[in-house]
Amino acid sequence: MKKTSNILCILNPNASKGQAITKVDKIKESFRKRNQSVDIIFTSQRKQAITLALQGADEGYDVIIAAGGDGTVNEVANGILKSDKSPSFGIIPIGRGNDFAYTANIPCDVDKAVDLILSSPATDIDVGLLYGKDAADGRFFINGAGIGFEPAVNFKASSYKHINGVASYLLAFLHCFCFIPKPYDIEMRVDDKNINLKTQQISICNGRRMGGAFIMGPRAIINDGKLDVVYANRPLKRLKITRLALRFFSGTQLKSKYMDMLNAESVVDIKSARAEMKIHVDGEEISRDAAFCRIEMVKKGLRLFYNR
């Protein structure tokens, strides 16, 4: 890439089912009217934003922006975190769910998002790092990782070609509701606590919301030095899942006797008796048949422009 500015914007034109490409002129105009130059580069394939962000960081960009959805945000964050340099991270949320932007109070309006990047100091936030299956070398996440029912819904929502936003997740939930996964036999270690359980759902949350509407980590804070491990503490049948799912819209699931939460300050190990765990990080598929994963806490791993 040709570096002409100190700001690099990596834009996924296919975000939001292809609607993100319509925001390009608006992004250019937002920087222009603030007399700020910016280098914009498009992605054309999955994981390319990781490479572009790493290259941009190594070339000396002071600020690297992800313009897209949660997948683009995850990839750009991974590229920055893989570099020896530490550019600040900005987000222009023009994707399908924009869940991390919700947590970080980053406006979905392009003008307001650009103004936040140009007028506010970047602040340290925590990061998670997951090892397992397709992420044998590690995959960073800034919003959350999920195991079981949650990634099943996410994978299905991503498969819809013409359904976007919250509607895609709700339709995917209804589909997965008809094919409820069997409980995993889990051995889980959260720092120094060991737990054995049968469960269909574990969320490791740095941010609060996933799936466009589900408050998976109602108590999560992105700079508190902790990951919130929220999990179903017993197998759930269809009727219980229906009632419990409604609580996720308001973030009141931890008031249910079927859900528990632990804080992790260093590491979470999750082992299944069978290689069948579905896993995602920030909505990106890691596995459909894993037997083990490890999540490590990276405190103050990334400098982000966000509204505190």
Side-chain angles (χ1 to χ4, degrees):
M1 67 184 73
K2 184 178 180 181
K3 186 175 184 294
T4 64
S5 170
N6 68 329
I7 299 177
L8 173 64
C9 178
I10 300 172
L11 190 147
N12 176 8
N14 296 313
S16 191
K17 305 298 183 182
Q19 294 181 30
I21 190 65
T22 66
K23 305 291 186 180
V24 175
D25 289 342
K26 179 67 173 177
I27 292 171
K28 290 179 179 178
E29 174 62 17
S30 291
F31 281 98
R32 187 200 62 78
K33 69 184 183 182
R34 291 169 175 80
N35 297 313
Q36 173 64 56
S37 60
V38 60
D39 294 336
I40 299 178
I41 188 167
F42 293 170
T43 61
S44 59
Q45 58 188 356
R46 188 170 175 262
K47 294 187 178 180
Q48 186 181 17
I50 299 175
T51 303
L52 293 173
L54 174 58
Q55 182 181 350
D58 290 345
E59 288 184 359
Y61 281 98
D62 296 321
V63 174
I64 300 181
I65 298 167
D70 289 302
T72 309
V73 168
N74 176 270
E75 290 190 10
V76 173
N78 269 267
I80 293 172
L81 288 159
K82 289 176 182 292
S83 175
D84 292 332
K85 298 184 179 180
S86 302
S88 298
F89 183 35
I91 297 173
I92 301 176
I94 52 174
R96 177 164 50 105
N98 302 316
D99 288 311
F100 183 74
Y102 169 86
T103 291
N105 295 314
I106 297 172
C108 290
D109 177 83
V110 169
D111 262 336
K112 292 179 180 179
V114 171
D115 192 57
L116 174 64
I117 293 167
L118 297 181
S119 64
S120 302
T123 305
D124 289 336
I125 64 166
D126 301 323
V127 175
L129 176 59
L130 183 143
Y131 294 93
K133 204 57 191 269
D134 292 346
D137 295 330
R139 183 72 176 256
F140 293 100
F141 63 89
I142 59 175
N143 196 33
I147 296 171
F149 195 80
E150 177 191 326
V153 171
N154 194 288
F155 298 164
K156 186 63 180 177
S158 297
S159 72
Y160 297 134
K161 294 182 179 180
H162 304 294
I163 305 173
N164 199 13
V166 176
S168 66
Y169 292 106
L170 293 177
L171 188 60
F173 172 81
L174 292 174
H175 172 86
C176 294
F177 177 73
C178 298
F179 303 95
I180 295 173
K182 295 186 298 183
Y184 303 138
D185 290 301
I186 294 293
E187 295 178 18
M188 182 166 66
R189 179 168 70 91
V190 179
D191 293 341
D192 58 352
K193 301 179 181 67
N194 295 298
I195 302 167
N196 292 290
L197 73 157
K198 290 181 179 290
T199 187
Q200 292 136 301
Q201 173 59 37
I202 303 172
S203 296
I204 300 92
C205 303
N206 190 42
R208 297 180 65 235
R209 193 183 80 180
M210 299 181 196
F214 300 94
I215 309 299
M216 305 304 293
R219 301 175 188 171
I221 302 172
I222 60 176
N223 62 355
D224 65 350
K226 301 174 184 178
L227 294 172
D228 288 9
V229 183
V230 181
Y231 60 95
N233 56 31
R234 67 194 75 182
L236 298 172
K237 295 184 179 180
R238 185 171 282 109
L239 183 59
K240 295 297 183 184
I241 288 178
T242 304
R243 292 175 178 172
L244 190 59
L246 295 175
R247 288 180 174 267
F248 281 88
F249 290 105
S250 58
T252 58
Q253 67 271 26
L254 291 174
K255 295 180 180 180
S256 166
K257 65 180 180 181
Y258 301 106
M259 300 294 299
D260 282 327
M261 189 194 85
L262 292 170
N263 287 131
E265 296 187 16
S266 58
V267 66
V268 181
D269 286 338
I270 301 173
K271 180 180 179 182
S272 173
R274 296 177 298 279
E276 57 187 7
M277 289 193 297
K278 293 180 173 64
I279 304 173
H280 83 89
V281 296
D282 292 348
E284 297 296 285
E285 181 176 330
I286 298 299
S287 171
R288 294 177 185 254
D289 57 357
F292 175 81
C293 68
R294 163 169 284 201
I295 298 100
E296 297 178 356
M297 180 66 182
V298 183
K299 297 180 181 180
K300 298 182 177 181
L302 196 61
R303 291 204 317 274
L304 175 72
F305 298 100
Y306 74 104
N307 285 310
R308 292 165 293 283

